[in-house]
Amino acid sequence: MKRFYLFAFLFFALTIHCQTLHFEIAALKGLPSSEVYKVFEDSFGFIWLATDAGLCRYDGNLVTTYTVKDGISENVIFKIYEDHKHRIWFSTLSGYFFYYENGKFTQIEASKKAKKDFKTFQVASFIVGENDTLYFTGSTFRGLIKVPPQNNYSQLIHVYLQCKESTRYILSNKKGTEYLIGSGLSAPIFKDSTYLLNFLDTLFSVSFRNIFTTYNSIAQYHMAITENKKVYIPTRNQIAIVSKGKDIEYYNFPDDVLQILKDKDGDLWVCTAHRGGFIFKGGNLKSKPMRFLDTLSVCSVMIDKEGTIWATTLEKGVFQCMNKYVLTLPEVAKNFTTYENQLLISFASKKIGIISTTDSLTFMPPPANLKKEGTLNTFLRNKHSRYYSTSKNLYCLSENSLACIQYYGMNPFIPKQLIFIGGDTVLAFNSFHIVSIFKNKLILFLSNHFPPNCEKKLTTKQVLIGSRNNFGIVEFKNNTLLPYLDHFKELKTRINCIEEDSTGNIWIATNEKGIYCYNTKQKRLYEFNENSGLRSNKINSCTIDENGNIWCGTHVGISKLITSNGLENVTIQNFDKNHGVFDLEINAIKEFKGKIYCASKTALFYFEIGKMVMNISPPEVYVQSIYINDKSAPIKDTLNLNYNQNNFHIQIKSISYKKVDNKRFYYTLKGYDKVWYLSNSGDIHYTNIPYGTYTLSFYGINNDGTFSRQPHLSSFIIKKPYWFTWWFISIELLLFIIILYFLMRFWKFKIEKKQLEKFKMEQKISEFKMTALRSQMNPHFIFNAINSIQHYILKQDTFKSYNYLSKFSLLIRNILDNSQEEYISISQEINTLKLYIELEQMRFTQPFDFILDMDKELPLDAYIPTMLIQPFIENSIWHGLMPKKTNCILELIFKRKGANMLVVIRDNGIGRDEELKKNISHISKGSSLTEERLRELTINNNKQFTFSIVDLTDNGGNSKGTEVRIMLPLDV
């Protein structure tokens, strides 16, 4: 048999100055203990942690701890397993089993019987195989135990397999991907041990020699099968590789192996008891391993669905590595240069890292004289010379001679950037000065107040220098500085980096404005900043990969500009700690041979271009809690609720283990909402939802905007109120019809009885109203007439008094006769009005003319309401003509308008406007009473009795009188 031994000293020798993964302690709030034995991700995306203080479940936000108070068998949990029914199984320190299903823990009956039969034992390993049968092995019995699922796994079946005491068992389930190791009886060391291996559905024995097989209760015995169908078997401090029909290969480790894991890339992860973890590329145990957490006891390792690596330890709890493809070197890098197809990395420690095409990292030590020269700023070399710029001086190593380049023989010159501009001539500058150096002599000094910050030599041999302030960019040409792209005012800012892509475009990284691209063919400047999608406008450095993509190092991570669709359609991706950029402040960034190298404040890290990608893993989502009317409700796919259970508070969660503070969701309540809503908290509230069937549909969105594959659906069925049910409505309707029938009969009788009485009463009331109005109007007229007689008597005009009194008596007789009638003929009304007007002419101080115009077609025997026109004539005389005093005319016109009669009373008095100007406050009671009469007449006769008042004006807009128009029906 072939044997290969890897001893501890060999591991340490290989890992000196070797790259490693960056692990950080996971920020798990509420983790009950730092002693964590196992990490496991279930098919729903939850992470389970086995500790010595309880069982924990983590969803990326909250750690939920379960203890014996919550139904688990014991607080010290060692092993976790998920079966094909998605039940999560656990085994404890004392050998108890229990499983988790649908939010509930179930303790199996066989645990108690096993403790009774085997006294004290610990579970070596277990699986759930065909027909849901539980198989397990322990430390104090030979063979294995089979527990059928009947009656909650109550029966124990001891299987001895007819083998020697020193035989171990390796059994797999039907799929051949899960294994169980039988530990046999208690002898600590077996020089000749036999394993029964169920490999590729064939059971055969394998002999192991000189393998230490002492049982370790913490060990996670899960085998690994590679693509070439080799089985990796850990046994204490060895790993054996078994190939069917081939020799066994053995690999010794400097410590006990607790777990092995083969990832999707075929890399083998090995966890040890005290020496941390080892990673073997491609599962090749002969290769140089990469170390992680090398001073801790790493019990288990797991890679979740998003690619995050989890490692549990006995000393410091749980660690996370966000990206296995981001490798780190614990050295502070200052600058990158290239020379003869090599990448040269200047480290602060004054070492020069060299990466060649073989992807190996070697170190070139600094000259002995530089050991006390502070830190290294930058390094430059060609075939003849090497330049070292330290924090104290600038040195040139040429022909094995190290010389310090003095600044005019006095002050030291300490450049931050060095560049060959031709042959052995170097252009060097710091924050204040630019100098030209040939070998070890300073040959040119420029002091023109241009503060340089970065440089770039283009393929056209042009040397561009970016300024530290707002001077923009200059070109170094013929030992002078000439403005470059000076017409672009946007570039009048601090320039941190200048790069040229394969098409000749010039990329300019600024300190405040993002990054610009100058298209040399179009002579156009393109701008990319935070508004375009960059994480920050402060670009410290940039580099261009072989695909033409721009990688920008900022103080908040890395931004990648994808230019494959042209500068007008650039796509921007941002990478931070979620993607493995553990130190966000990146001072320098460089692409070399398909890898991106980043110099941060604390270390150098690098990754392959294709391995730094966005998180496209769809997040798992679930409902964490439901409150109905502020009371907790069970979490089910469908909830049936009463009509008054219509206030919802739902807390939804997405499972993601990236470093994201706000997890976003899109949700809608189908049947109620018409649009989708965005939530950053996952708190959803609905109030006063009407009865019906609703479905809450929501997606989770991860840190890079990837949605869940499918929406999570939860249904709510709110029952109708009982008064909306068909049987209740039917009863109500029947009762209503019965009651309505009897009420209608009763109401009909009463209505018919009262309707006649009401009609008669309303008729009498109407007559009483008209009589009352007439009785109010007649005294009003008589009062005015008596005032006129009194006027003549006081003036002692006997003739006029007698004449007036005789006409007045005749008028009174007409009024008394007419007051008994509601309607009189037109001729009677005209006679009465003539008497009244003659009386008014007699008592008028200045006489007025009266004109009567009668339509010949007007039937004088037609009837009109009694004393309806007189109040308007009275108003014309008293309020229109009397204040005017001279040239007064009163016109009374009767015209036929079809079935109606139009009565026009027109005067040429002062008009209503003048009346108001003279503060005449008299209110005609007769007019208001007549207006009320007209309304009553309209209602009683169901015909229109209307009147209107028109203010007459001349061409100049001056008032020349008032006209009253009364429209009366002739067939009343």
Side-chain angles (χ1 to χ4, degrees), residues 436-551:
S436 180
I437 302 168
F438 180 75
K439 292 189 177 180
N440 60 356
K441 294 182 181 180
L442 190 150
I443 60 174
L444 175 67
F445 170 73
L446 295 178
S447 178
N448 60 348
H449 306 292
F450 179 85
N453 193 46
C454 63
E455 46 70 26
K456 178 64 180 180
K457 186 177 180 180
L458 305 180
T459 54
T460 58
K461 307 299 183 181
Q462 293 174 279
V463 176
L464 304 183
I465 303 175
S467 70
R468 290 179 59 83
N469 55 17
N470 60 356
F471 282 10
I473 303 173
V474 297
E475 180 184 356
F476 181 79
K477 187 176 182 180
N478 298 327
N479 295 328
T480 59
L481 300 180
L482 303 176
Y484 186 79
L485 301 179
D486 197 51
H487 56 289
F488 290 110
K489 302 304 178 184
E490 300 93 329
L491 300 179
K492 297 298 183 180
T493 184
R494 177 170 175 158
I495 309 298
N496 287 336
C497 186
I498 303 173
E499 289 291 335
E500 181 184 19
D501 65 21
S502 59
T503 62
N505 295 327
I506 300 174
W507 293 83
I508 305 162
T510 73
N511 202 64
E512 298 94 6
K513 298 181 179 180
I515 188 168
Y516 293 92
C517 177
Y518 176 65
N519 189 307
T520 53
K521 295 179 181 179
Q522 299 176 353
K523 306 299 181 182
R524 177 182 173 185
L525 192 67
Y526 292 85
E527 180 180 7
F528 306 96
N529 50 36
E530 291 178 4
N531 294 330
S532 309
L534 289 178
R535 188 64 56 85
S536 173
N537 285 335
K538 186 179 186 297
I539 311 297
N540 296 329
S541 179
C542 67
T543 188
I544 304 171
D545 66 23
E546 56 193 9
N547 299 318
N549 301 318
I550 317 302
W551 296 78

Side-chain angles (χ1 to χ4, degrees), residues 860-959:
L860 297 179
D861 56 348
Y863 284 83
I864 61 173
T866 305
M867 294 297 290
L868 187 64
I869 303 172
Q870 183 271 337
F872 295 104
I873 295 175
E874 180 181 345
N875 279 343
S876 294
I877 296 171
W878 283 85
H879 304 299
L881 300 177
M882 184 178 291
K884 185 179 180 184
K885 298 181 180 181
T886 60
N887 298 323
C888 298
I889 300 172
L890 175 65
E891 294 182 71
L892 181 58
I893 303 168
F894 292 87
K895 288 186 179 181
R896 181 166 185 165
K897 296 291 185 180
N900 298 318
M901 178 180 69
L902 174 63
V903 181
V904 178
I905 302 114
R906 183 185 300 137
D907 66 71
N908 65 344
I910 63 173
R912 290 189 296 174
D913 290 342
E914 288 296 323
E915 186 179 10
L916 291 174
K917 290 178 183 179
K918 293 182 179 182
N919 298 320
I920 299 174
S921 59
H922 174 78
I923 299 175
S924 173
K925 187 175 180 182
S927 295
S928 61
L929 292 174
T930 302
E931 185 177 355
E932 187 177 350
R933 261 187 87 188
L934 289 173
R935 284 197 297 269
E936 290 294 332
L937 288 167
T938 299
I939 294 171
N940 292 338
N941 294 279
N942 197 23
K943 293 182 179 180
Q944 290 295 321
F945 290 78
T946 61
F947 84 99
S948 61
I949 301 176
V950 180
D951 295 317
L952 304 176
T953 58
D954 57 17
N955 294 332
N958 299 316
S959 177

Side-chain angles (χ1 to χ4, degrees), residues 50 91 126 137 143 166 211 320 328 331 367 396 441 481 593 662 684 743 756 786 844 867 883 930 951-952 957:
S91 68
F126 70 93
T137 63
S166 61
I211 293 182
Q320 275 182 292
T328 68
E331 290 271 359
C396 176
K441 294 182 181 180
L481 300 180
K593 301 301 180 182
N662 293 325
I684 299 175
L743 286 176
L756 184 59
I786 293 173
F844 208 72
M867 294 297 290
T930 302
D951 295 317
L952 304 176

Side-chain angles (χ1 to χ4, degrees), residues 77-93:
I77 314 296
F78 277 159
K79 297 174 178 63
I80 308 174
Y81 174 87
E82 183 176 9
D83 65 20
H84 67 283
K85 289 185 175 181
H86 305 298
R87 295 177 297 183
I88 316 298
W89 290 78
F90 309 92
S91 68
T92 71
L93 172 67

Side-chain angles (χ1 to χ4, degrees), residues 716-728:
F716 301 88
I717 301 175
I718 303 177
K719 298 177 183 178
K720 291 182 180 180
Y722 66 87
W723 54 84
F724 284 153
T725 58
W726 67 268
W727 58 267
F728 188 85

Side-chain angles (χ1 to χ4, degrees), residues 84 128-135 149 173-174:
H84 67 283
V128 178
E130 272 188 87
N131 302 320
D132 296 339
T133 301
L134 171 66
Y135 296 90
N173 68 357
K174 188 175 182 180

Side-chain angles (χ1 to χ4, degrees), residues 125-169:
S125 57
F126 70 93
I127 61 173
V128 178
E130 272 188 87
N131 302 320
D132 296 339
T133 301
L134 171 66
Y135 296 90
F136 70 91
T137 63
S139 58
T140 59
F141 54 86
R142 186 161 54 93
L144 70 151
I145 304 298
K146 182 168 69 171
V147 187
Q150 289 78 13
N151 300 320
N152 188 24
Y153 295 91
S154 59
Q155 183 183 8
L156 291 175
I157 302 174
H158 198 159
V159 181
Y160 291 95
L161 296 181
Q162 300 296 321
C163 58
K164 298 178 181 179
E165 183 178 288
S166 61
T167 302
R168 304 293 181 264
Y169 309 102

Side-chain angles (χ1 to χ4, degrees), residues 19-23 263-267 269 279 281 290 303-304 306-309 321-328 359 579-582 594-597 605-613 658:
Q19 72 274 13
T20 185
L21 297 180
H22 178 75
F23 276 87
D263 64 23
K264 64 179 182 179
D265 299 320
D267 297 339
W269 299 65
I279 306 173
K281 192 73 174 177
M290 185 165 56
I303 303 176
D304 67 25
E306 294 180 307
T308 301
I309 302 101
C321 174
M322 305 308 293
N323 191 339
K324 66 167 281 192
Y325 305 107
V326 177
L327 303 180
T328 68
D359 198 27
H579 309 88
V581 183
F582 65 91
K595 291 184 174 65
I596 301 294
Y597 293 83
F605 65 91
Y606 64 96
F607 50 87
E608 293 181 22
I609 289 174
K611 300 301 184 181
M612 181 62 71
V613 294
K658 299 297 183 181

